[in-house]
Each structure stands twice: as C-alpha cells, then as structure tokens.
Amino acid sequence: MLNVFSIFLLLTSILSFLLGFLVLFKRSKKNTMTLAFLGLTFFTSLWALSYYLSISINNYDIAIFWAKMVTFNSIWIPIFLFNWVRLFLKDIGLRKVHFNDYVMYVSYFLGFFFSFFSFSKLMISSFEQKLFFSVWPNPGILYHFYFIFCYVELSFYTGIILLKYYKIARGYARNQIKYVSIGCIVALMGGISNFFLWYNILIPPYGIFFIPIYPVAFTYAMIKYRLMDIRLVISKSILYVILVSVVTFTFTVFTFLAGRIFAETSDFSGLLVTFIVSLVVVIGLDPLKRFLSKITDNIFYKGKIDYQEVLRKLSEIIAIEIDLNKLLINLSNTLSKLIKCENVDFLHLQDIAGIYRGVSDKNILITKNDNIFNYINDKREIIITEELERLSFESNNTYDLVGIVDRLKKMQIGLIAPVLAEGKITAFLIITKKLSGDIFSAQDVNLISVLTPQIANALEKAKLYGEIQKFNINLQDKVDQATKELKQVNIDLASRNKYLVALQKISSTITRTLDLSAVIEFIASSVRNELGFIGGVVNFVDEDGKYIYIGGMSADESVRNAVSVLKKDPREYKIFLKEKNNIAIKSIVTGEIQKSDKVYDFFVPAISELDANKIQESLKIKSGISVPIYSENRIIGSIDFFLEKTIDRIKKEDLDVMKALADQTGLVIRNLNLYRELSSKNMELKDANIHLKKLDQAKSEFLSIASHQLRTPLTGIKGYLSMIIEGDYGKVPDRLLKIIKEVFEAGDRMSRLVNVFLNVSRIESGRLKLDFSEVDIASVIDRCIKDLESNAKKKNIVLNFKDSRSDDKKDKKINADPDKLKDTILNLIDNAIKYTEKGSVVVELSNDKNNVIVKIKDTGIGLSDSEIDRLFSKFSRGDDSAKINTDGSGLGLYIARKIVEAHDGKIWVESEGKGKGSTFQFTLSFNKVNIEKE
C-alpha cells in the first residue's frame, strides 16, 4: 500500500513542478498572479515530495525531518491558493470583484507565524506508528489553530468566492472558474484526508490518489480556456510527451521481442532486426505524430478550423460576387458555417447620416456619434468583447469602456472588426459567439485581419458597380429632366431679367430724388409701367398707428377710368387697423404676404363690394398680392399688386420681385426720413454753433479785459505792501507786520491767479506769445526752488534739486521763453508741495540724446489711472485734491501742458497708485525752435 501512496505522491510532485515551471517560463505576462501560482505549485510539489520521502526512507531521524517538512509546506498551500484565486478572478475581468486585502495580509502573517513554529513541539508534539505508516506525527497545541485557519476557514472562504463569481461569470471566464474550482476542491479534499490520522481516526489518506487530478484540471483549463495564457505550450508539450512515450515503448517492445526470437542467432540477424525496427519507427513517426495531434486536437481543440480552407472559400466569394447585398449575405452565411459561429453579419454604411446598419438584422446599428464607433475608429483594430471587458477595469481608460462593453453585450456581439477603405470605416464585421463556447483564438483574429482588407476592396468594387448600374438606368431620365428644366430655366431667366432691369430702373430713379411724395407716386406707377402688372397701391400706417391710407397708386388713363365709379379720390379713404378682414391690414399686422382673388378684400370697408367688382372687371384683375413694407425692423405699410393671372399661376419670381420692390421702398423711405431729420438737425446745430462761438468770444474777451484790469491795481498793492514790510515807511509793530505779510501773500496768490486766467485767455484766443532766447534751465529751476523753499519748510518737506545731466550736456542751453518756462516749473513744484503731507519733493534734471528732461517727484497722495487720463484737461483736479488744497483752480496743469507743447515738448505724469506719490515730467528739445509760437 505504501508503494501505491508513494507513486501518487511522486506523480503529484512532478506534475505540480512541471506546471509551475511552464507557467513561470512560458507565460508572457509576469505579475503577482504568476508569482502566487508559482508559490502554490512550488509548495504543493515540495509537500508531495516531502510526504513521499517521509514514508519511503527507512532512517527514522530522516523520516521525522521530512514529516516535519510536510507540515511546513502544507501551511503555505491554502494561503497561496487563496491569494492566487483572488488575483485570478481580478485578472479575468469580472466586475464587482472586491476582496478585503485584510484577509490577504492576515493569511501571510499567520503563514510566517505557523512556519516559525513548524519544527517545534507546539506544532508536532510526537511521532508514532499508525496503520502501515511507521512514522506519523501527533498534533501540538498550535497545530489545531493552524488546521482551523488554513484548512477550514481559508479553504472554505476560497470555495465560497469561487462559487460566488462562477454565478456571475460568462463565456470562457466561467469555464476557467469551473476547472479551477474542480482542481482546488480535489486538491483540498485530498489534502484534508491526511488529517484523519492526525486526530487518531484510523482511515488511510486515500485522498492522495485524487490530488494529481488538480494539475490535470488546471492544465486542461490552460489549454482549452486560455488559463494563465500558455495554452499552446502545454498542448504541444503533452503531444510530444505522448509521441516520445509511444515511440520509446514501441522501440523497446520490438527490440525486446526481437532479442527473444533471435537470441541464439548471429549478431548480424540482431543488427538487422534493430535496423528494421528503427526504419519502421522513422517512417511511421510523421503519420503517428499527425494521428496523435488529431487526437489531442479533438480533446483540447474540439471542432478545429482549417483557416486556409476558410480563407480560400471566402476569397472565391469575394472574387465572384459583385452585387453588394448578395456579397455581404454570402460572406456572412459562409463565414458563420466555416468558423462555427451562431451568427455573422455586416454593419454597412448605408447613408450620409453616418448610420452603420446590419445587412441581415436591420435592428443592429451603430452611428458615427456612438462610443463604439469612436473607440474602434481610434484603435483601428479588432475588438473582442470579453477582452475589452478586462481592459475596462484599468483606471487610465479615456473611453467609457464599461458602457461600450454593455452596448456590445446588449447587441450580442462577441467580436467586431472594422472594414477600412482609404482610411475610413465603410463597414463592421460582427460575430456573436462560437457554437463551442470557446473564446476567439489568435487564428480567428488573424483570419479576420487578412479577410477585412479583401472585403473592403470587394465593397468598393460592389459599390462602384451599383453606382454604375444606377447611373445607366437613370441617365436618360436625368437627361430628359435636365432638358425640361433647362427650358424652364431659360423662360424663368428671361422673366427674371425683365424684372431685374425694371427694378434697376426703379431703384436708379427713386434714389436720385429727395421728394418723398414724388418717390411714392413713382413706385406705385412703376408697378404697372415697369413691372408689367395691372396696377399697384402703396399704403402707409399713420403716425398714431390707428389707420392706413393710400400714399400712392398707379394713375394711367385706364386706372383713372376704372376708379371713376368711386364717389371720391381713393387717397382720401382711411381704413382703421382694427378691420381684420382687409388684406392690406392683414399683411401689415402679420408681416406676411397675403393673397386674394377679390379687389374688394383690399379696400373693405372703404368702398362698396359693387364698386370694387366694377373696378376689377374694368381692369381685368384676377388676383391681388399685398406685401408688407419693412423699415428699420418695423412695418410702415404695404404695397398691393394687382395681376391679370390667377393665384395658382403666380410664380416664385413674381413674389420675389414684389418683395424686392417693397424692401427697396422701405429703404428709400427710411433714407428720405433720415435725410429730412439730418437736414433739420444740421440747421439747428449750425445756429447753435454760431451762438456758442459768440459766447466763447465774449468769454475770452471778458477774461482778457478782467485780467488786465485786475493785474494793474494788484501790482500797486503788492508794491506798497512790500515797501511797508521792508520798513520804507518806518517800523511796523509785529502784530500789524504779521497781518500785512498775510495780505501780501494773498495778493501774490491773487496775482498768480490773474496771470493764470490771462494765460488761459491767451491760449484759447490763440494769442499766447513766446519770447524765445537761450536759457540755462538749471538756473531757472534754482530760482523756482528758492521762491518755493519757504512753502516747503512750512510743511517740513525736503525740497531738493538733482542735476543728472551728462557732462557734455550740462553747459548746453535750450531755446525757450524763460518766463513761461519758469511759470511751468513753479506750477509743477508748487503742486508737488501742496499735495505732499510728508516726505520730500525732488526736482531732477537729466537728458537723453536730443532732449532735456525735467522730473518733479513727490511722496504725496498719488494718482489713479482714471485721474492720470484727465489731469491735464481744463478745470480738472485729482479726486482727493480738494481735501488737501481748496484754492486750486484746475487750470495750472492745463496751462503747463499748453506751454510745453508750444515749445514742441511733451509733458506727462506717472504714479504707482493712491498714496504712492507722483512724478510729473516734461521734455524740451536741445534743437533750436525756429518758429515763434503765437
């Protein structure tokens, strides 16, 4: 019995080792799942080998060592099995596969824990003989916990998750889980049978006989259902193992029998027999290989497909069939039979809307806006639904693969391949699923990859053929229709040309006159005289919008005779807008063209029906059209056209010309009204301008006279006050001296203000005169600083002058008016002092190649962007200026700008914002000013 157990243990070890070896070295994708499977097969192989050695070796101590190794290896088998199953279920792309990683961490932790004590008495307390096993271990106290966790709880949990996900799996994934479950159950049940003797249940471990089934089940799943992706390697390995075994067995048997038969014959006879046997083996090797290959294919590749034969038959259909529908149907039916699929169909692009519809099943369709189309158009490759489902679990997908997979499954599409022609998808080849339930193999994909370009060419050929057929069938009809249409076009063109010439003539005439009444009368007359209609009436809505009246009407002899039946001139009639039955009013209210075959409908209730019928009969009117007149997006009236043909014979060209004339009328009336309004406004503006010029002249003269008259007495007052202050009239008491100084300063401010107004008056009247001479600008700045030094000291402000000119420019003078230049600099420095509460005012003199530059930089209240834009305008001040200095006139900077510009210079200000100070600066050219400014 021990020999039988030994054989099965050794077989389990070898099979497990080979299976792990093949997966490790032949699997294309090396990942944690591969490592987990390798751990499972490795420890299973070592467990079986240790078990074999423990019952086969006669040395007691060595047998005990291997018995302990059995326990050590058995600890890791259920742990690696659980983690491999967990990773395997995730790898095959099942949705909603969620495992608590806590169980994985705990399993590995306990594995190391139990392994650490596996050689101690806590795990194995003693050894004794049980049944026919001379060395069998007894459990220690820790062994019970190991048994409960590893072989009860963890194995049970592994079985539960396999069963759970088997229920939700489909296709090849379901078959993979089925054979993995069989292998796991057989292996675990076989392993559990060993625990009977541990707990003194005297039942031999017969489960060992079934353990080799687990690698067989895994191998079958790998070959049949692409488990671990080494299908071809294993199947070919099995084929060659069987082939070598059969050849070896045959050669051995024949050699043994020949040796028995020719035992007493010569060596030559034995050699001859060996030669004959070898020759038979060599000759029969290839047929034997084909025979065995057929047997293994029937086992692992049931229903194998001859892809070369499939391609040959499909190529024949493509070469022979030229009708598009027949081609696609024949290809679908033939391909379905040859590759043994439930259904094959083509989704063909059938219209410009971008809809790919099934040829056999019209209910299956894909549009160009579909996510499926966008994905395949991007990838340009064959898509297998089950493989795409696996990709949908990756987090870096830019497409909604879950939605695409759901849609493909809903349409029962297992494989979809694009048929490309000139880089565009002209059709899709779709396959539901294989009748065998197998997945689509690499050979299937290769076949379709070779086939689709041929199908694309065939589709283009069939499409071209169909187009030629349709063209030949419809060519004559198209020629006849084109001839008929051409005749009609010529007639229409003649009519349209007539209308266009007439409209051009009307437009040319009405745009040359400015008399509104004459224009309206001409338009009404042109309806008959130029367009050839019986007559026309131009209606207008009154200014209050209550009624319409006739502004113009055709007025030749026949029209005048016809309307003579009326009691008064038609222009005197008024029709209120509330009269809804009037056709002209309907067109005005609705903004749409209105038609009627009765003249009465156009004038109801202004004239009687009897009179209207007489007019209609006299002029032979058969229909009338009322077209609204638009002017500036509002309706101002309508034009009534009366024709000698019935409504059903009125052409589009007639309506177009009527609408064009109505639009032209609205435009002309609008332009004439605008012209009248503009003329009236121009007259009003002309009068206002003359009046303003007189006022401005009077203001300037007043300012000039007032300034001159004020400056003379101010000069005398300042002179006498200065003499009193200096003591020319004797000593003045301190109390009076202070008051006199304040009066002097007030007079000085008033004198400067008078000068300001005088300068403004001169600037605006064009009488600003500059007396140019060579000026040392540094000296001018020095004098200005001395004049304003006392003002700066009163506010504790530092006033500095910095000459930064280059050495070659320091002695160079400029051509300027020294007094006006001094006024400008004084004004800028004085402003800087006034609007600086603390800090400093720095006057900097610098230069560039052509100009001298004066900067007055302060640490004052600063300026915003909006203030800078308007600061140099007349009467303009900063927003916060009045809070600091209430005496400002808002004219100083305006005058400064005018003076600098009169010197051909530039002046501007810069500031970083409120509270960050300002820098006023201006430039004057070194070049001589040749023209005196006045």
Side-chain angles (χ1 to χ4, degrees):
M1 180 59 73
L2 282 175
N3 290 333
V4 177
F5 278 105
S6 299
I7 291 172
F8 277 90
L9 288 169
L10 194 58
L11 180 62
T12 299
S13 178
I14 293 171
L15 290 177
S16 297
F17 176 77
L18 290 176
L19 186 59
F21 176 82
L22 288 173
V23 169
L24 178 63
F25 291 101
K26 298 299 181 180
R27 177 166 162 81
S28 59
K29 186 166 60 175
K30 306 294 191 300
N31 54 17
T32 54
M33 187 181 78
T34 304
L35 297 177
F37 187 80
L38 181 64
L40 171 63
T41 55
F42 174 76
F43 282 106
T44 303
S45 177
L46 286 182
W47 171 82
L49 181 62
S50 301
Y51 205 153
Y52 165 77
L53 293 173
S54 69
I55 65 175
S56 302
I57 295 176
N58 293 326
N59 187 298
Y60 182 77
D61 292 333
I62 296 177
I64 287 176
F65 170 78
W66 286 112
K68 291 181 178 180
M69 283 297 294
V70 171
T71 303
F72 173 81
N73 292 315
S74 67
I75 293 171
W76 291 100
I77 292 173
I79 294 174
F80 276 102
L81 176 62
F82 161 71
N83 285 288
W84 175 73
V85 167
R86 181 179 65 86
L87 296 170
F88 155 70
L89 291 175
K90 287 185 178 180
D91 186 68
I92 62 176
L94 289 179
R95 296 185 189 175
K96 301 179 181 178
V97 175
H98 301 294
F99 296 103
N100 192 339
D101 290 337
Y102 174 76
V103 178
M104 177 190 70
Y105 297 139
V106 170
S107 67
Y108 279 116
F109 172 78
L110 292 176
F112 285 109
F113 177 77
F114 291 132
S115 297
F116 182 78
F117 294 101
S118 60
F119 284 81
S120 69
K121 290 186 177 295
L122 291 174
M123 186 67 73
I124 301 175
S125 61
S126 62
F127 292 89
E128 63 177 275
Q129 181 176 352
K130 293 184 180 181
L131 297 180
F132 42 79
F133 296 100
S134 59
V135 175
W136 193 270
N138 290 315
I141 188 171
L142 195 59
Y143 187 88
H144 307 302
F145 296 99
Y146 145 72
F147 172 71
I148 291 172
F149 172 76
C150 290
Y151 277 95
V152 177
E153 292 184 356
L154 195 58
S155 299
F156 181 76
Y157 182 57
T158 303
I160 290 297
I161 60 176
L162 281 170
L163 178 61
K164 174 182 176 181
Y165 293 109
Y166 175 76
K167 291 180 179 179
I168 65 173
R170 295 292 181 271
Y172 78 98
R174 186 181 180 89
N175 288 319
Q176 285 182 342
I177 295 175
K178 179 173 70 175
Y179 286 99
V180 167
S181 300
I182 291 171
C184 291
I185 291 171
V186 168
L188 290 173
M189 292 303 294
I192 288 175
S193 68
N194 290 278
F195 291 101
F196 295 146
L197 288 178
W198 279 79
Y199 291 97
N200 294 319
I201 301 172
L202 300 179
I203 299 175
Y206 293 121
I208 289 174
F209 301 148
F210 300 100
I211 293 179
I213 296 175
Y214 105 85
V216 174
F218 279 18
T219 301
Y220 184 80
M222 289 176 182
I223 298 172
K224 186 69 174 178
Y225 301 110
R226 288 174 63 178
L227 179 66
M228 303 295 288
D229 198 25
I230 57 170
R231 170 181 180 174
L232 184 62
V233 174
I234 292 182
S235 62
K236 294 303 179 184
S237 300
I238 292 174
L239 171 64
Y240 283 107
V241 167
I242 296 173
L243 180 64
V244 171
S245 300
V246 171
V247 171
T248 303
F249 176 78
T250 303
F251 187 83
T252 303
V253 169
F254 274 97
T255 303
F256 175 76
L257 293 175
R260 290 287 186 179
I261 296 172
F262 299 102
E264 297 179 358
T265 59
S266 62
D267 292 339
F268 176 75
S269 299
L271 183 62
L272 179 62
V273 170
T274 303
F275 172 76
I276 293 172
V277 172
S278 300
L279 183 62
V280 170
V281 169
V282 170
I283 294 173
L285 182 62
D286 190 59
L288 179 62
K289 179 182 176 183
R290 290 198 297 271
F291 173 74
L292 293 175
S293 178
K294 186 176 181 180
I295 293 175
T296 55
D297 285 344
N298 287 334
I299 296 172
F300 298 115
Y301 302 98
K302 187 176 182 180
K304 186 177 180 181
I305 301 169
D306 186 348
Y307 290 97
Q308 291 297 327
E309 180 66 15
V310 173
L311 190 59
R312 184 186 65 78
K313 289 185 178 180
L314 294 176
S315 298
E316 288 179 0
I317 296 173
I318 291 172
I320 295 172
E321 191 58 68
I322 198 168
D323 182 81
L324 182 61
N325 285 334
K326 291 182 179 179
L327 170 67
L328 295 177
I329 291 172
N330 287 346
L331 284 174
S332 300
N333 295 337
T334 305
L335 188 59
S336 178
K337 292 177 182 178
L338 294 178
I339 65 174
K340 298 178 177 61
C341 292
E342 281 188 358
N343 186 42
V344 176
D345 200 355
F346 286 91
L347 305 183
H348 184 241
L349 182 60
Q350 297 179 350
D351 50 41
I352 59 174
I355 299 176
Y356 295 81
R357 191 179 297 277
V359 176
S360 299
D361 187 351
K362 302 294 184 182
N363 294 322
I364 301 178
L365 57 87
I366 294 174
T367 68
K368 285 188 176 181
N369 295 324
D370 203 312
N371 284 337
I372 297 175
F373 176 85
N374 294 331
Y375 181 75
I376 297 177
N377 191 45
D378 183 25
K379 298 298 182 181
R380 300 297 178 97
E381 61 185 22
I382 297 170
I383 304 299
I384 298 173
T385 302
E386 290 183 338
E387 292 183 356
L388 187 64
E389 186 174 16
R390 297 174 66 181
L391 292 176
S392 67
F393 293 94
E394 298 180 3
S395 60
N396 58 346
N397 291 319
T398 57
Y399 290 91
D400 179 18
L401 296 187
V402 174
I404 294 174
V405 170
D406 287 341
R407 179 85 190 284
L408 290 173
K409 286 184 175 181
K410 187 176 181 181
M411 293 190 290
Q412 297 182 349
I413 296 175
L415 178 146
I416 181 168
V419 179
L420 300 170
E422 297 182 355
K424 297 180 179 179
I425 299 177
T426 59
F428 292 98
L429 169 61
I430 62 170
I431 303 174
T432 53
K433 64 178 181 180
K434 288 191 172 182
L435 293 172
S436 62
D438 290 352
I439 64 171
F440 292 98
S441 63
Q443 292 93 331
D444 296 326
V445 175
N446 291 335
L447 170 69
I448 295 171
S449 299
V450 174
L451 188 63
T452 48
Q454 297 183 37
I455 294 174
N457 292 331
L459 290 178
E460 291 299 308
K461 179 179 66 175
K463 181 180 177 182
L464 181 61
Y465 171 75
E467 290 175 353
I468 292 173
Q469 288 294 98
K470 289 180 181 179
F471 179 77
N472 290 333
I473 293 171
N474 298 325
L475 181 59
Q476 190 59 45
D477 292 338
K478 289 183 178 180
V479 170
D480 294 341
Q481 182 66 25
T483 303
K484 182 179 179 181
E485 290 176 355
L486 185 60
K487 290 180 181 178
Q488 185 61 43
V489 167
N490 288 333
I491 295 172
D492 294 340
L493 281 176
S495 176
R496 186 178 291 274
N497 286 336
K498 173 187 172 184
Y499 284 148
L500 288 176
V501 170
L503 284 174
Q504 179 63 32
K505 184 177 179 180
I506 294 170
S507 177
S508 176
T509 302
I510 64 179
T511 53
R512 288 201 302 266
T513 180
L514 299 176
D515 187 340
L516 181 59
S517 299
V519 167
I520 295 171
E521 288 293 341
F522 179 79
I523 290 171
S525 298
S526 298
V527 173
R528 180 177 178 88
N529 300 333
E530 303 298 337
L531 299 179
F533 301 135
I534 291 177
V537 175
V538 182
N539 304 300
F540 288 106
V541 180
D542 76 307
E543 293 182 357
D544 296 331
K546 293 181 178 179
Y547 58 85
I548 64 170
Y549 63 91
I550 295 176
M553 59 182 292
S554 300
D556 65 353
E557 189 66 28
S558 60
V559 174
R560 284 195 293 271
N561 291 335
V563 300
S564 63
V565 300
L566 300 176
K567 296 178 180 179
K568 57 181 179 180
D569 190 335
R571 293 177 176 81
E572 298 179 14
Y573 291 115
K574 297 177 182 179
I575 303 174
F576 288 94
L577 289 174
K578 64 182 180 179
E579 189 62 48
K580 303 299 183 182
N581 294 326
N582 186 285
I583 290 294
I585 291 176
K586 278 186 179 180
S587 69
I588 292 171
V589 172
T590 63
E592 298 177 354
I593 296 175
Q594 302 293 327
K595 305 173 184 177
S596 178
D597 55 3
K598 293 183 179 181
V599 171
Y600 176 67
D601 293 340
F602 291 84
F603 300 100
V604 62
I607 64 177
S608 66
E609 187 173 2
L610 180 62
D611 291 341
N613 291 338
K614 288 179 180 179
I615 295 171
Q616 183 169 356
E617 184 178 354
S618 174
L619 294 174
K620 298 180 180 179
I621 297 171
K622 293 184 179 179
S623 63
I625 306 292
S626 183
V627 181
I629 301 173
Y630 283 87
S631 180
E632 293 184 327
N633 296 323
R634 68 186 184 92
I635 299 174
I636 62 171
S638 67
I639 302 180
D640 299 336
F641 298 86
F642 297 101
L643 294 76
E644 61 180 353
K645 52 186 173 182
T646 57
I647 292 175
D648 59 326
R649 292 182 56 204
I650 297 173
K651 299 178 182 179
K652 183 178 181 297
E653 290 79 9
D654 298 326
L655 296 175
D656 288 344
V657 74
M658 294 175 191
K659 191 173 184 305
L661 182 58
D663 292 340
Q664 186 70 25
T665 301
L667 183 62
V668 169
I669 292 173
R670 171 180 172 274
N671 290 340
L672 290 175
N673 287 333
L674 288 176
Y675 174 76
R676 284 192 306 177
E677 292 177 7
L678 186 60
S679 298
S680 176
K681 295 295 182 184
N682 283 338
M683 291 300 295
E684 292 176 4
L685 288 174
K686 185 176 181 181
D687 293 340
N689 192 39
I690 293 171
H691 183 63
L692 286 174
K693 283 183 177 180
K694 291 179 179 179
L695 290 176
D696 190 56
Q697 184 178 359
K699 177 205 70 173
S700 297
E701 289 176 357
F702 170 76
L703 286 175
S704 179
I705 294 169
S707 299
H708 277 289
Q709 295 299 321
L710 289 172
R711 188 163 59 170
T712 301
L714 281 173
T715 303
I717 292 170
K718 284 174 63 181
Y720 284 116
L721 289 173
S722 178
M723 292 170 66
I724 293 171
I725 292 170
E726 291 174 359
D728 292 345
Y729 296 101
K731 185 177 180 182
V732 180
D734 292 339
R735 179 173 58 84
L736 292 177
L737 183 62
K738 180 179 178 183
I739 295 173
I740 292 170
K741 285 183 179 180
E742 290 178 356
V743 173
F744 178 80
E745 289 176 359
D748 188 52
R749 285 198 302 272
M750 190 171 181
S751 178
R752 288 202 301 270
L753 187 59
V754 168
N755 285 332
V756 165
F757 283 115
L758 186 59
N759 285 331
V760 170
S761 174
R762 289 172 178 172
I763 290 170
E764 292 189 346
S765 62
R767 293 184 290 105
L768 178 66
K769 185 177 181 181
L770 301 180
D771 295 326
F772 286 95
S773 62
E774 289 189 346
V775 177
D776 181 3
I777 192 168
S779 299
V780 175
I781 294 173
D782 276 332
R783 290 197 300 273
C784 291
I785 289 177
K786 288 178 181 178
D787 290 345
L788 296 172
E789 224 168 14
S790 61
N791 294 351
K793 287 181 180 179
K794 287 179 181 179
K795 298 185 69 173
N796 292 323
I797 294 172
V798 178
L799 178 60
N800 287 329
F801 171 47
K802 181 180 179 183
D803 192 347
S804 301
R805 289 178 295 175
S806 57
D807 293 338
D808 60 326
K809 301 290 185 180
K810 281 191 176 182
D811 296 330
K812 192 167 185 178
K813 297 182 179 181
I814 63 171
N815 203 34
D817 184 322
D819 294 332
K820 296 295 187 293
L821 184 59
K822 181 180 178 183
D823 288 343
T824 299
I825 297 172
L826 275 172
N827 186 289
L828 295 176
I829 298 174
D830 189 39
N831 272 352
I833 294 170
K834 285 178 181 178
Y835 300 114
T836 300
E837 293 298 318
K838 60 181 179 178
S840 62
V841 174
V842 178
V843 181
E844 182 180 358
L845 182 61
S846 60
N847 67 273
D848 57 21
K849 184 177 180 182
N850 299 315
N851 302 291
V852 63
I853 304 169
V854 179
K855 293 183 181 180
I856 295 92
K857 185 174 183 180
D858 62 60
T859 58
I861 59 175
L863 297 166
S864 64
D865 292 340
S866 61
E867 291 176 298
I868 290 174
D869 293 338
R870 56 183 168 79
L871 197 61
F872 289 97
S873 301
K874 189 164 57 173
F875 300 114
S876 177
R877 303 181 68 192
D879 295 340
D880 298 329
S881 300
K883 298 177 183 178
I884 298 174
N885 178 32
T886 59
D887 296 334
S889 64
L891 294 171
L893 293 177
Y894 169 73
I895 295 171
R897 176 172 69 87
K898 290 294 185 179
I899 292 174
V900 170
E901 289 175 352
H903 284 80
D904 287 339
K906 295 180 180 179
I907 185 169
W908 69 96
V909 62
E910 296 175 356
S911 177
E912 295 182 1
K914 289 289 188 178
K916 297 183 179 180
S918 306
T919 302
F920 286 83
Q921 48 192 315
F922 65 88
T923 63
L924 296 175
S925 174
F926 284 119
N927 300 323
K928 179 180 176 63
V929 179
N930 297 317
I931 301 174
E932 189 177 77
K933 304 293 180 181
E934 292 191 359

